[in-house]
Amino acid sequence: MDNKKSKIKDVSSSPYAVAALLVTPKGIPIVRDPKKPDPNFWKLPGGRSEGKETPKQALMREIKEEVGLSLKPDDIKIVYEEEREGHTFCLFQGAPVSLIGLKTKGNEGEDVKLFLPEELKKLSEFFPPHREILKEIRFF
């Protein structure tokens, strides 16, 4: 099996970054940090692990902070994993049943917007590495 899509074995000893592809009938929540320099891309919500968090714990915390949605561990599954320099990147996918709590601004001032899959595919300001991963997992 390709190591980019292998199951997570033991991530407790190495840091990781997580992102979420949350597909809802009203769209996919995407974030953009207006404080970042140009080019300022829209990205899948997520971030870095803190302490001894599991990948799911980190993702659930980041989603709550950035977009306001509360996820349960069974709401999401890992669909992509890649070893990068100094950390492991994990992409999770889920289909939240509710958008209750969805923010327009994240805890650190990130803009939050819903994009339909067709809109996201055409969005020129979508973060290129996230676009490539969505192509690789055949979402696009």
Side-chain angles (χ1 to χ4, degrees):
M1 177 181 256
D2 182 278
N3 71 346
K4 288 185 179 181
K5 296 179 184 174
S6 64
K7 291 195 176 218
I8 297 174
K9 293 181 178 91
D10 178 17
V11 294
S12 61
S13 62
S14 75
Y16 49 91
V18 294
L21 173 61
L22 301 175
V23 183
T24 78
K26 294 189 177 189
I28 299 165
I30 303 295
V31 298
R32 178 171 58 185
D33 186 346
K35 299 180 299 288
K36 298 281 184 183
D38 285 334
N40 192 346
F41 293 108
W42 287 96
K43 299 178 179 182
L44 297 170
R48 296 286 186 144
S49 62
E50 293 180 358
K52 299 274 185 186
E53 287 178 320
T54 67
K56 280 190 177 186
Q57 289 169 335
L59 184 76
M60 292 184 326
R61 176 184 50 76
E62 287 286 349
I63 294 304
K64 184 69 174 169
E65 291 173 1
E66 288 189 358
V67 299
L69 298 179
S70 295
L71 299 176
K72 297 176 187 152
D74 291 343
D75 292 342
I76 52 174
K77 66 177 183 171
I78 190 164
V79 294
Y80 181 90
E81 178 183 347
E82 178 180 344
E83 293 299 322
R84 295 184 176 171
E85 190 172 322
H87 70 279
T88 301
F89 173 79
C90 303
L91 175 67
F92 290 84
Q93 185 171 349
V97 293
S98 171
L99 289 175
I100 293 173
L102 183 69
K103 301 177 182 182
T104 57
K105 290 279 185 193
N107 284 5
E108 296 179 8
E110 305 93 343
D111 294 324
V112 180
K113 187 174 176 183
L114 293 173
F115 287 91
L116 294 172
E118 313 82 59
E119 295 172 322
L120 188 57
K121 186 176 182 177
K122 295 176 185 174
L123 183 65
S124 62
E125 297 93 18
F126 185 45
F127 190 49
H130 287 179
R131 179 184 304 280
E132 290 305 312
I133 291 169
L134 294 187
K135 286 179 184 176
E136 186 167 331
I137 65 168
R138 295 191 169 111
F139 182 76
F140 287 155

